[in-house]
Amino acid sequence: MRRAIGKMGPAAFLRRAAAVVGLVVLVGLALPPLAAALRPLRERVVSAGATAAASGSWGDEHAFFKRDLNDISPYSWNITGTYKGSWSFSGATNGSSRFLEFTKLKGDSVLELLSTPTKISGVHYVQGSVTFHDVVDNAHDHGVAQIRLEGVYIWPFRQLRMVANSGIDGEPLPEEDYFLSNPYHLLRIFSSQVFQETSEEKNQRKNSLTYDMEKHCSVEIAAKVVRVSSNPNEGEHEKYRLEGLMESPAVDDDGECFSPILLNATSLNVEVYYNKAVNYTLMVTFISFLQVLLLIRQMEHSNTQSGAAKVSILMIGQQAIMDAYLCLLHLTAGILVESLFNAFATAAFFKFVVFSIFEMRYLLAIWKASRPLNSGEGWEVMRRELSVLYSRFYGILLGGILLMYELHNFLRPLLFLMYSFWVPQIVTNVIRDTRKPLHPQYILGMTITRLAIPLYIFGCPSNFMRIEPDKKWCIAVTIFMGIQAAVLLLQHYFGSRCFIPHQILPEKHCYHRKVEDNTNQPIDCVICMTTIDLTQRASEYMVAPCEHIFHSGCLQRWMDIKMECPTCRRSLPPA
């Protein structure tokens, strides 16, 4: 049957469909039980023909419309759309298959259908595909199998009959025009390219299974379409439910290709899915706004040259690269899904503002503060060094894109590595023994806001990208980020080397050493211009390596601005 339909062409196929409609109408509306209604198409045609020969009556067609008085406009039953549900084996079966390895007795399935009215009243030509999860293609070891379908939908009896179809000579089927305008399908393609599978794997999954099953099997689906009462929150969207049986009599004499499978799927409201994607972009926009506020707070905290020099340039640069990637991803998604362009473009714009204006500006300030001062250098030297800085940044940015493309299968470990952006600051604090380089609000705020997007994508069961949740990865990255933030807060309140054993720490200059006053002459603090009382405790004054003495509070405030002696301009070690 499958090969015959493939050779007919659409016109001959519609004529055969018209004959099927005539036979089904002759049966009348006294529909058989569900088990009989779900029999394969050719078996139903034979039984319908036998019944028609015995009765020859058309009267039950009028009884159908009398019985369904609530259906005011049956012609409005357009089943085009995406259906999401489950599959399971019919009865007590072992789930045998010649082409698929069923890892479970049931799983998730997605049907995407395009219904086109024909010249025959009450008959729609349907094309689409069915995707099975929790199965494995034996040839290529994939966890998802997709089969292309075509058939007819007979609205008076709410019956859908479909057979497998993989196209002619590899040409794409016409229903792809509809899929390419469907945000639900487009974002599935986008997320699979970015987060799940390579293009080679996708082509193998698309071609290998369908080709083998077309060659050896005759896949047939018989389903009943039922209108479901929709939720008031979903508006006027019509919701349908498909209940059917999928069988696969073999073309040769080797028996069935797989055991009969029951399909249960409900149409998705694309408008609800659209709103879910818009809500995600609003979340990204709000997070970007919070990150701008946190960056402003941190820049105020380290607005001096000494304060900016304490901040790790690698830490800020790594966050800027992350925001640049997020900007590119959201912009690409907006270009791909035209109906969601405004929402994704807004999220991409805010991410662009975060990394290009605030983080790059802060990166430049840190570079200038850490750069040694040479009074004799000119503008050409500074411009050359600045060009090197920008070339390194954008080189790492482009290199990271190529690296993620090549190591696409290891994307989650790469993301885990990218979320170690606090580590350079922790190491810098230990090496330089810096005091309070980051504001606590910046540490906590950035940790939480950076976690929001990956936890939504990999942790939310109903995320709009339809990515399977990975709870272990989400827990691991949350704990990892929490440990980094906890270490930074410990360094902030208890010292940069508070968790390092004293035995392995290098010798540190002691600013609070006792000074013997043998001259009996008063010593003034050059910062506040008041006398220093050396008879007080050693904690009340500080002695620099160059033997200049200052009040403790005065020198600490001075060192927050400049790490050099106020008297002789000699460099000062951390306190």
Side-chain angles (χ1 to χ4, degrees):
M1 173 182 169
R2 170 66 188 88
R3 293 184 178 277
I5 292 177
K7 296 177 181 179
M8 287 183 201
F13 184 77
L14 289 178
R15 288 195 295 270
R16 176 66 62 85
V20 173
V21 174
L23 291 174
V24 174
V25 169
L26 290 177
V27 181
L29 260 296
L31 294 177
L34 180 61
L38 300 182
R39 284 182 295 171
L41 180 58
R42 61 184 166 197
E43 184 179 347
R44 285 184 51 79
V45 169
V46 173
S47 61
T51 306
S55 62
S57 173
W58 290 77
D60 286 339
E61 183 182 9
H62 301 285
F64 169 79
F65 292 105
K66 292 180 181 179
R67 187 171 58 202
D68 196 8
L69 295 176
N70 295 328
D71 189 6
I72 300 176
S73 178
Y75 293 97
S76 65
W77 280 45
N78 185 4
I79 62 173
T80 297
T82 302
Y83 296 76
K84 188 174 183 180
S86 60
W87 63 265
S88 61
F89 287 109
S90 175
T93 179
N94 57 2
S96 60
S97 173
R98 290 164 51 193
F99 300 99
L100 297 176
E101 178 183 346
F102 291 87
T103 58
K104 300 179 181 179
L105 294 179
K106 59 182 180 179
D108 297 328
S109 62
V110 177
L111 286 89
E112 295 184 84
L113 304 177
L114 174 62
S115 176
T116 306
T118 66
K119 296 181 180 180
I120 306 172
S121 177
V123 178
H124 290 237
Y125 179 64
V126 181
Q127 290 179 296
S129 66
V130 57
T131 304
F132 295 96
H133 297 264
D134 302 312
V135 300
V136 178
D137 179 354
N138 293 335
H140 301 282
D141 194 29
H142 296 300
V144 177
Q146 186 181 63
I147 302 175
R148 296 182 179 275
L149 304 168
E150 67 175 352
V152 292
Y153 164 57
I154 310 168
W155 65 259
F157 302 101
R158 315 300 189 245
Q159 298 296 313
L160 177 65
R161 299 293 184 269
M162 305 191 78
V163 294
N165 180 15
S166 62
I168 302 173
D169 298 330
E171 295 180 0
L173 293 175
E175 86 276 4
E176 290 186 353
D177 295 336
Y178 163 74
F179 292 156
L180 290 178
S181 64
N182 187 342
Y184 186 82
H185 181 77
L186 281 171
L187 290 173
R188 168 67 178 86
I189 296 176
F190 178 72
S191 62
S192 66
Q193 289 290 334
V194 176
F195 296 105
Q196 289 181 321
E197 56 192 3
T198 62
S199 57
E200 181 180 358
E201 291 173 343
K202 182 180 177 183
N203 290 331
Q204 289 177 347
R205 187 192 69 175
K206 178 180 177 181
N207 297 326
S208 63
L209 173 65
T210 307
Y211 174 78
D212 291 337
M213 295 190 69
E214 178 192 8
K215 184 177 180 181
H216 300 284
C217 305
S218 176
V219 180
E220 301 173 357
I221 294 179
K224 183 179 181 181
V225 183
V226 181
R227 177 180 287 174
V228 181
S229 57
S230 58
N231 193 321
N233 297 330
E234 298 179 356
E236 299 179 355
H237 172 74
E238 293 183 346
K239 200 170 185 179
Y240 303 104
R241 183 177 184 84
L242 298 180
E243 299 176 353
L245 183 69
M246 178 175 173
E247 292 185 333
S248 181
V251 175
D252 47 29
D253 297 329
D254 294 335
E256 292 184 333
C257 291
F258 52 81
S259 302
I261 297 176
L262 288 175
L263 297 177
N264 246 312
T266 305
S267 62
L268 295 176
N269 188 348
V270 180
E271 193 68 25
V272 173
Y273 181 77
Y274 176 91
N275 293 336
K276 190 183 297 185
V278 171
N279 291 337
Y280 163 78
T281 59
L282 290 176
M283 180 194 73
V284 174
T285 303
F286 178 70
I287 287 174
S288 302
F289 179 72
L290 289 180
Q291 290 174 349
V292 169
L293 297 180
L294 292 170
L295 279 167
I296 293 174
R297 184 71 185 87
Q298 172 60 26
M299 293 170 73
E300 292 176 350
H301 176 73
S302 57
N303 58 352
T304 62
Q305 180 181 1
S306 175
K310 297 176 184 178
V311 181
S312 171
I313 194 171
L314 293 178
M315 182 266 295
I316 296 296
Q318 192 169 342
Q319 293 189 59
I321 290 175
M322 290 173 59
D323 287 323
Y325 288 155
L326 289 173
C327 174
L328 292 175
L329 283 176
H330 287 92
L331 185 60
T332 304
I335 295 174
L336 182 64
V337 187
E338 186 176 355
S339 58
L340 293 172
F341 176 79
N342 292 336
F344 279 101
T346 302
F349 171 75
F350 272 86
K351 279 299 176 184
F352 177 80
V353 169
V354 171
F355 102 86
S356 67
I357 297 179
F358 291 93
E359 287 175 334
M360 290 301 295
R361 177 184 175 187
Y362 196 30
L363 189 74
L364 183 60
I366 296 171
W367 173 77
K368 291 175 63 178
S370 305
R371 186 170 166 272
L373 296 176
N374 296 321
S375 57
E377 70 179 14
W379 166 247
E380 290 295 331
V381 176
M382 180 179 291
R383 188 176 65 176
R384 191 182 310 115
E385 293 181 2
L386 192 61
S387 300
V388 172
L389 175 68
Y390 278 104
S391 62
R392 287 178 180 176
F393 175 81
Y394 288 105
I396 294 173
L397 181 67
L398 296 176
I401 296 176
L402 296 177
L403 181 65
M404 286 189 290
Y405 178 79
E406 292 295 332
L407 302 178
H408 193 81
N409 295 330
F410 304 96
L411 184 60
R412 283 178 174 82
L414 289 176
L415 289 176
F416 198 86
L417 183 64
M418 291 182 66
Y419 274 83
S420 62
F421 54 84
W422 290 131
V423 174
Q425 185 62 56
I426 295 174
V427 176
T428 301
N429 293 347
V430 173
I431 295 176
R432 300 179 182 176
D433 194 19
T434 53
R435 296 175 59 253
K436 303 179 178 180
L438 303 179
H439 197 282
Q441 293 179 4
Y442 176 76
I443 298 173
L444 292 175
M446 277 297 179
T447 301
I448 295 173
T449 55
R450 294 288 180 196
L451 281 173
I453 295 178
L455 290 184
Y456 172 82
I457 294 175
F458 297 107
C460 180
S462 57
N463 66 83
F464 75 97
M465 291 185 179
R466 289 184 282 170
I467 296 176
E468 293 296 329
D470 190 346
K471 294 183 179 179
K472 292 183 179 179
W473 187 87
C474 292
I475 293 173
V477 73
T478 302
I479 294 176
F480 183 53
M481 289 289 294
I483 292 174
Q484 294 179 67
V487 172
L488 284 174
L489 292 175
L490 287 175
Q491 291 180 326
H492 180 85
Y493 290 106
F494 300 102
S496 300
R497 299 175 177 177
C498 61
F499 54 91
I500 305 296
H502 294 285
Q503 293 79 3
I504 63 175
L505 288 176
E507 292 187 5
K508 184 179 178 181
H509 174 74
C510 180
Y511 281 91
H512 298 285
R513 57 188 177 88
K514 190 67 176 177
V515 177
E516 298 294 335
D517 187 10
N518 299 325
T519 61
N520 293 326
Q521 295 181 354
I523 299 177
D524 295 335
C525 174
V526 298
I527 299 176
C528 64
M529 304 304 294
T530 58
T531 302
I532 302 173
D533 187 1
L534 298 180
T535 61
Q536 294 181 344
R537 294 177 301 174
S539 60
E540 298 295 329
Y541 56 87
M542 298 176 68
V543 182
C546 52
E547 300 299 328
H548 294 119
I549 306 174
F550 312 91
H551 289 115
S552 296
C554 295
L555 186 59
Q556 287 177 356
R557 288 190 294 271
W558 177 271
M559 292 172 69
D560 288 337
I561 301 174
K562 290 184 179 181
M563 293 297 293
E564 60 184 28
C565 177
T567 302
C568 63
R569 304 302 179 186
R570 179 180 174 181
S571 297
L572 297 176

Short mmCIF file of all heavy atoms in Angstrom, two decimals, residues 127-173:
data_model
loop_
_atom_site.label_atom_id
_atom_site.label_comp_id
_atom_site.label_asym_id
_atom_site.label_seq_id
_atom_site.Cartn_x
_atom_site.Cartn_y
_atom_site.Cartn_z
N GLN A 127 -0.33 16.23 5.90
CA GLN A 127 1.08 15.87 5.90
C GLN A 127 1.69 16.24 7.24
O GLN A 127 1.20 17.15 7.92
CB GLN A 127 1.83 16.58 4.77
CG GLN A 127 1.48 16.08 3.39
CD GLN A 127 2.25 16.85 2.32
OE1 GLN A 127 2.07 18.05 2.17
NE2 GLN A 127 3.09 16.16 1.60
N GLY A 128 2.75 15.57 7.61
CA GLY A 128 3.39 15.90 8.87
C GLY A 128 4.42 14.88 9.27
O GLY A 128 4.99 14.16 8.43
N SER A 129 4.65 14.79 10.57
CA SER A 129 5.65 13.86 11.10
C SER A 129 5.28 13.50 12.52
O SER A 129 4.56 14.23 13.20
CB SER A 129 7.05 14.49 11.07
OG SER A 129 7.12 15.59 11.95
N VAL A 130 5.77 12.35 12.96
CA VAL A 130 5.61 11.92 14.34
C VAL A 130 7.00 11.62 14.89
O VAL A 130 7.82 10.97 14.24
CB VAL A 130 4.68 10.68 14.46
CG1 VAL A 130 5.20 9.53 13.62
CG2 VAL A 130 4.54 10.25 15.92
N THR A 131 7.28 12.13 16.07
CA THR A 131 8.58 11.97 16.72
C THR A 131 8.40 11.18 18.00
O THR A 131 7.59 11.55 18.85
CB THR A 131 9.22 13.34 17.02
OG1 THR A 131 9.31 14.09 15.81
CG2 THR A 131 10.61 13.17 17.61
N PHE A 132 9.18 10.10 18.12
CA PHE A 132 9.12 9.25 19.31
C PHE A 132 10.37 9.50 20.16
O PHE A 132 11.49 9.46 19.66
CB PHE A 132 9.07 7.77 18.92
CG PHE A 132 7.81 7.38 18.19
CD1 PHE A 132 7.77 7.32 16.81
CD2 PHE A 132 6.66 7.08 18.90
CE1 PHE A 132 6.62 6.97 16.13
CE2 PHE A 132 5.50 6.72 18.23
CZ PHE A 132 5.48 6.67 16.85
N HIS A 133 10.13 9.72 21.45
CA HIS A 133 11.23 9.81 22.41
C HIS A 133 11.36 8.49 23.15
O HIS A 133 10.45 7.66 23.14
CB HIS A 133 11.00 10.95 23.39
CG HIS A 133 10.97 12.30 22.74
ND1 HIS A 133 12.07 13.13 22.66
CD2 HIS A 133 9.97 12.96 22.10
CE1 HIS A 133 11.75 14.24 22.02
NE2 HIS A 133 10.48 14.16 21.67
N ASP A 134 12.50 8.29 23.81
CA ASP A 134 12.77 7.07 24.58
C ASP A 134 12.84 5.84 23.69
O ASP A 134 12.49 4.74 24.11
CB ASP A 134 11.70 6.86 25.67
CG ASP A 134 11.62 8.04 26.61
OD1 ASP A 134 12.68 8.47 27.08
OD2 ASP A 134 10.51 8.52 26.88
N VAL A 135 13.25 6.01 22.44
CA VAL A 135 13.54 4.88 21.56
C VAL A 135 14.93 5.09 21.00
O VAL A 135 15.47 6.19 21.02
CB VAL A 135 12.51 4.74 20.42
CG1 VAL A 135 11.13 4.53 20.96
CG2 VAL A 135 12.54 5.97 19.51
N VAL A 136 15.53 4.03 20.46
CA VAL A 136 16.88 4.11 19.93
C VAL A 136 16.88 3.55 18.52
O VAL A 136 16.39 2.46 18.27
CB VAL A 136 17.88 3.32 20.81
CG1 VAL A 136 19.27 3.36 20.21
CG2 VAL A 136 17.89 3.88 22.22
N ASP A 137 17.42 4.32 17.58
CA ASP A 137 17.64 3.86 16.23
C ASP A 137 18.86 2.95 16.24
O ASP A 137 19.98 3.38 16.53
CB ASP A 137 17.87 5.06 15.31
CG ASP A 137 18.13 4.67 13.87
OD1 ASP A 137 18.23 3.47 13.61
OD2 ASP A 137 18.21 5.57 13.03
N ASN A 138 18.66 1.66 15.95
CA ASN A 138 19.74 0.69 16.07
C ASN A 138 20.93 1.03 15.17
O ASN A 138 22.06 0.70 15.49
CB ASN A 138 19.24 -0.72 15.72
CG ASN A 138 18.25 -1.21 16.76
OD1 ASN A 138 18.26 -0.77 17.89
ND2 ASN A 138 17.38 -2.13 16.35
N ALA A 139 20.67 1.67 14.05
CA ALA A 139 21.75 1.94 13.11
C ALA A 139 22.66 3.06 13.59
O ALA A 139 23.86 3.05 13.34
CB ALA A 139 21.17 2.30 11.73
N HIS A 140 22.09 4.05 14.28
CA HIS A 140 22.89 5.22 14.65
C HIS A 140 22.80 5.57 16.13
O HIS A 140 23.34 6.59 16.56
CB HIS A 140 22.47 6.44 13.81
CG HIS A 140 22.64 6.22 12.35
ND1 HIS A 140 23.86 6.29 11.71
CD2 HIS A 140 21.73 5.89 11.40
CE1 HIS A 140 23.71 6.04 10.42
NE2 HIS A 140 22.43 5.80 10.21
N ASP A 141 22.08 4.79 16.92
CA ASP A 141 22.05 4.94 18.37
C ASP A 141 21.59 6.33 18.79
O ASP A 141 22.29 7.06 19.48
CB ASP A 141 23.43 4.65 18.96
CG ASP A 141 23.35 4.46 20.48
OD1 ASP A 141 22.28 4.02 20.97
OD2 ASP A 141 24.33 4.78 21.16
N HIS A 142 20.40 6.73 18.36
CA HIS A 142 19.80 8.00 18.76
C HIS A 142 18.63 7.73 19.69
O HIS A 142 17.95 6.71 19.58
CB HIS A 142 19.30 8.80 17.55
CG HIS A 142 20.40 9.21 16.63
ND1 HIS A 142 21.44 10.00 17.04
CD2 HIS A 142 20.63 8.93 15.33
CE1 HIS A 142 22.27 10.19 16.02
NE2 HIS A 142 21.80 9.55 14.97
N GLY A 143 18.37 8.62 20.60
CA GLY A 143 17.27 8.46 21.54
C GLY A 143 15.95 9.01 21.03
O GLY A 143 14.96 8.99 21.74
N VAL A 144 15.93 9.52 19.79
CA VAL A 144 14.73 10.10 19.21
C VAL A 144 14.58 9.56 17.79
O VAL A 144 15.56 9.48 17.04
CB VAL A 144 14.81 11.65 19.18
CG1 VAL A 144 13.59 12.22 18.51
CG2 VAL A 144 14.95 12.21 20.58
N ALA A 145 13.37 9.15 17.41
CA ALA A 145 13.10 8.65 16.07
C ALA A 145 11.97 9.45 15.46
O ALA A 145 10.96 9.71 16.12
CB ALA A 145 12.74 7.16 16.10
N GLN A 146 12.11 9.85 14.20
CA GLN A 146 11.10 10.66 13.52
C GLN A 146 10.66 9.97 12.23
O GLN A 146 11.50 9.47 11.49
CB GLN A 146 11.64 12.05 13.20
CG GLN A 146 10.59 12.99 12.63
CD GLN A 146 11.18 14.35 12.29
OE1 GLN A 146 12.05 14.47 11.45
NE2 GLN A 146 10.70 15.38 12.98
N ILE A 147 9.36 9.93 11.98
CA ILE A 147 8.79 9.33 10.79
C ILE A 147 7.89 10.36 10.12
O ILE A 147 7.02 10.95 10.78
CB ILE A 147 7.98 8.07 11.13
CG1 ILE A 147 8.86 7.04 11.85
CG2 ILE A 147 7.38 7.44 9.88
CD1 ILE A 147 8.11 5.84 12.34
N ARG A 148 8.06 10.56 8.82
CA ARG A 148 7.21 11.48 8.06
C ARG A 148 5.93 10.77 7.65
O ARG A 148 5.96 9.58 7.33
CB ARG A 148 7.95 12.02 6.85
CG ARG A 148 9.16 12.86 7.20
CD ARG A 148 9.82 13.40 5.95
NE ARG A 148 10.95 14.23 6.28
CZ ARG A 148 10.88 15.53 6.59
NH1 ARG A 148 9.70 16.12 6.59
NH2 ARG A 148 11.96 16.22 6.87
N LEU A 149 4.85 11.52 7.62
CA LEU A 149 3.54 10.93 7.37
C LEU A 149 2.76 11.74 6.34
O LEU A 149 3.01 12.94 6.16
CB LEU A 149 2.72 10.87 8.67
CG LEU A 149 3.34 10.14 9.86
CD1 LEU A 149 2.55 10.43 11.12
CD2 LEU A 149 3.41 8.65 9.60
N GLU A 150 1.79 11.07 5.69
CA GLU A 150 0.80 11.73 4.84
C GLU A 150 -0.47 10.89 4.86
O GLU A 150 -0.42 9.68 5.11
CB GLU A 150 1.31 11.92 3.42
CG GLU A 150 1.48 10.63 2.64
CD GLU A 150 1.87 10.86 1.19
OE1 GLU A 150 1.86 12.03 0.77
OE2 GLU A 150 2.17 9.88 0.49
N GLY A 151 -1.58 11.54 4.62
CA GLY A 151 -2.84 10.81 4.64
C GLY A 151 -4.02 11.73 4.47
O GLY A 151 -3.90 12.84 3.92
N VAL A 152 -5.20 11.30 4.97
CA VAL A 152 -6.43 12.07 4.84
C VAL A 152 -7.09 12.20 6.20
O VAL A 152 -6.96 11.33 7.08
CB VAL A 152 -7.40 11.40 3.84
CG1 VAL A 152 -6.87 11.46 2.45
CG2 VAL A 152 -7.71 9.97 4.25
N TYR A 153 -7.79 13.32 6.36
CA TYR A 153 -8.60 13.56 7.55
C TYR A 153 -10.05 13.72 7.08
O TYR A 153 -10.35 14.59 6.25
CB TYR A 153 -8.11 14.80 8.28
CG TYR A 153 -9.09 15.35 9.29
CD1 TYR A 153 -9.56 14.57 10.34
CD2 TYR A 153 -9.53 16.67 9.20
CE1 TYR A 153 -10.46 15.07 11.26
CE2 TYR A 153 -10.42 17.19 10.11
CZ TYR A 153 -10.89 16.38 11.13
OH TYR A 153 -11.78 16.88 12.05
N ILE A 154 -10.95 12.86 7.58
CA ILE A 154 -12.36 12.86 7.18
C ILE A 154 -13.16 13.47 8.33
O ILE A 154 -13.41 12.82 9.35
CB ILE A 154 -12.85 11.43 6.88
CG1 ILE A 154 -11.86 10.76 5.92
CG2 ILE A 154 -14.25 11.45 6.31
CD1 ILE A 154 -12.08 9.27 5.78
N TRP A 155 -13.53 14.76 8.17
CA TRP A 155 -14.09 15.47 9.32
C TRP A 155 -15.47 14.98 9.74
O TRP A 155 -15.81 15.05 10.93
CB TRP A 155 -14.11 16.98 9.06
CG TRP A 155 -15.00 17.46 7.95
CD1 TRP A 155 -14.63 17.80 6.70
CD2 TRP A 155 -16.42 17.64 8.01
NE1 TRP A 155 -15.71 18.18 5.96
CE2 TRP A 155 -16.84 18.10 6.74
CE3 TRP A 155 -17.39 17.46 9.00
CZ2 TRP A 155 -18.16 18.38 6.44
CZ3 TRP A 155 -18.70 17.74 8.72
CH2 TRP A 155 -19.08 18.19 7.45
N PRO A 156 -16.38 14.49 8.87
CA PRO A 156 -17.69 14.07 9.39
C PRO A 156 -17.57 12.96 10.42
O PRO A 156 -18.37 12.86 11.34
CB PRO A 156 -18.44 13.61 8.14
CG PRO A 156 -17.76 14.30 7.01
CD PRO A 156 -16.33 14.35 7.41
N PHE A 157 -16.56 12.10 10.27
CA PHE A 157 -16.39 10.98 11.19
C PHE A 157 -15.20 11.17 12.12
O PHE A 157 -14.87 10.28 12.89
CB PHE A 157 -16.22 9.68 10.40
CG PHE A 157 -17.38 9.39 9.49
CD1 PHE A 157 -17.28 9.65 8.13
CD2 PHE A 157 -18.58 8.91 10.00
CE1 PHE A 157 -18.36 9.41 7.29
CE2 PHE A 157 -19.64 8.67 9.16
CZ PHE A 157 -19.55 8.92 7.81
N ARG A 158 -14.54 12.33 12.02
CA ARG A 158 -13.39 12.65 12.87
C ARG A 158 -12.31 11.58 12.79
O ARG A 158 -11.70 11.22 13.78
CB ARG A 158 -13.82 12.84 14.34
CG ARG A 158 -15.07 13.68 14.57
CD ARG A 158 -14.93 15.10 14.03
NE ARG A 158 -16.06 15.91 14.46
CZ ARG A 158 -16.96 16.42 13.62
NH1 ARG A 158 -16.86 16.17 12.33
NH2 ARG A 158 -17.94 17.18 14.06
N GLN A 159 -12.09 11.06 11.60
CA GLN A 159 -11.14 9.98 11.41
C GLN A 159 -9.91 10.50 10.66
O GLN A 159 -10.02 11.25 9.68
CB GLN A 159 -11.77 8.83 10.63
CG GLN A 159 -12.96 8.18 11.33
CD GLN A 159 -12.57 7.52 12.64
OE1 GLN A 159 -11.58 6.79 12.69
NE2 GLN A 159 -13.34 7.77 13.68
N LEU A 160 -8.73 10.08 11.13
CA LEU A 160 -7.47 10.45 10.51
C LEU A 160 -6.75 9.17 10.10
O LEU A 160 -6.55 8.28 10.93
CB LEU A 160 -6.60 11.25 11.48
CG LEU A 160 -5.20 11.65 11.00
CD1 LEU A 160 -5.29 12.62 9.83
CD2 LEU A 160 -4.40 12.27 12.14
N ARG A 161 -6.39 9.06 8.84
CA ARG A 161 -5.68 7.90 8.32
C ARG A 161 -4.39 8.39 7.66
O ARG A 161 -4.43 9.22 6.76
CB ARG A 161 -6.53 7.13 7.30
CG ARG A 161 -7.83 6.58 7.84
CD ARG A 161 -7.56 5.49 8.87
NE ARG A 161 -8.80 4.89 9.34
CZ ARG A 161 -9.47 5.33 10.41
NH1 ARG A 161 -9.00 6.37 11.09
NH2 ARG A 161 -10.58 4.74 10.78
N MET A 162 -3.24 7.83 8.11
CA MET A 162 -1.96 8.28 7.58
C MET A 162 -1.03 7.09 7.36
O MET A 162 -1.15 6.06 8.03
CB MET A 162 -1.30 9.28 8.55
CG MET A 162 -2.16 10.48 8.92
SD MET A 162 -1.24 11.76 9.78
CE MET A 162 -0.39 12.51 8.41
N VAL A 163 -0.11 7.28 6.41
CA VAL A 163 0.92 6.28 6.13
C VAL A 163 2.26 7.00 6.09
O VAL A 163 2.33 8.23 5.98
CB VAL A 163 0.67 5.55 4.79
CG1 VAL A 163 -0.60 4.73 4.87
CG2 VAL A 163 0.59 6.57 3.65
N ALA A 164 3.36 6.22 6.18
CA ALA A 164 4.69 6.80 6.20
C ALA A 164 5.04 7.39 4.86
O ALA A 164 4.66 6.88 3.80
CB ALA A 164 5.72 5.75 6.59
N ASN A 165 5.80 8.50 4.90
CA ASN A 165 6.25 9.16 3.67
C ASN A 165 7.53 9.90 3.98
O ASN A 165 7.57 10.75 4.87
CB ASN A 165 5.19 10.13 3.17
CG ASN A 165 5.63 10.82 1.88
OD1 ASN A 165 6.56 10.38 1.23
ND2 ASN A 165 4.94 11.88 1.53
N SER A 166 8.59 9.59 3.25
CA SER A 166 9.88 10.24 3.47
C SER A 166 10.24 11.20 2.36
O SER A 166 11.36 11.66 2.26
CB SER A 166 10.99 9.20 3.61
OG SER A 166 11.09 8.45 2.42
N GLY A 167 9.30 11.52 1.48
CA GLY A 167 9.61 12.40 0.37
C GLY A 167 10.13 11.64 -0.83
O GLY A 167 10.36 10.43 -0.80
N ILE A 168 10.31 12.34 -1.93
CA ILE A 168 10.77 11.73 -3.18
C ILE A 168 12.20 12.15 -3.44
O ILE A 168 12.50 13.34 -3.56
CB ILE A 168 9.87 12.14 -4.36
CG1 ILE A 168 8.42 11.75 -4.07
CG2 ILE A 168 10.36 11.53 -5.65
CD1 ILE A 168 7.44 12.25 -5.10
N ASP A 169 13.08 11.16 -3.46
CA ASP A 169 14.50 11.40 -3.74
C ASP A 169 15.11 12.40 -2.79
O ASP A 169 15.91 13.26 -3.16
CB ASP A 169 14.72 11.88 -5.19
CG ASP A 169 14.26 10.82 -6.18
OD1 ASP A 169 14.35 9.62 -5.84
OD2 ASP A 169 13.82 11.20 -7.28
N GLY A 170 14.69 12.35 -1.53
CA GLY A 170 15.28 13.22 -0.53
C GLY A 170 14.79 14.64 -0.55
O GLY A 170 15.31 15.49 0.16
N GLU A 171 13.81 14.99 -1.41
CA GLU A 171 13.32 16.36 -1.46
C GLU A 171 12.47 16.65 -0.21
O GLU A 171 11.74 15.78 0.27
CB GLU A 171 12.48 16.57 -2.71
CG GLU A 171 13.28 16.44 -4.00
CD GLU A 171 12.41 16.67 -5.21
OE1 GLU A 171 11.20 16.93 -5.02
OE2 GLU A 171 12.92 16.60 -6.33
N PRO A 172 12.53 17.87 0.33
CA PRO A 172 11.74 18.19 1.50
C PRO A 172 10.26 18.18 1.19
O PRO A 172 9.82 18.52 0.09
CB PRO A 172 12.22 19.60 1.89
CG PRO A 172 12.76 20.17 0.62
CD PRO A 172 13.35 19.01 -0.15
N LEU A 173 9.49 17.80 2.20
CA LEU A 173 8.04 17.77 2.04
C LEU A 173 7.46 19.16 2.15
O LEU A 173 8.00 20.03 2.81
CB LEU A 173 7.43 16.86 3.11
CG LEU A 173 7.79 15.37 2.96
CD1 LEU A 173 7.22 14.61 4.14
CD2 LEU A 173 7.26 14.80 1.66
#
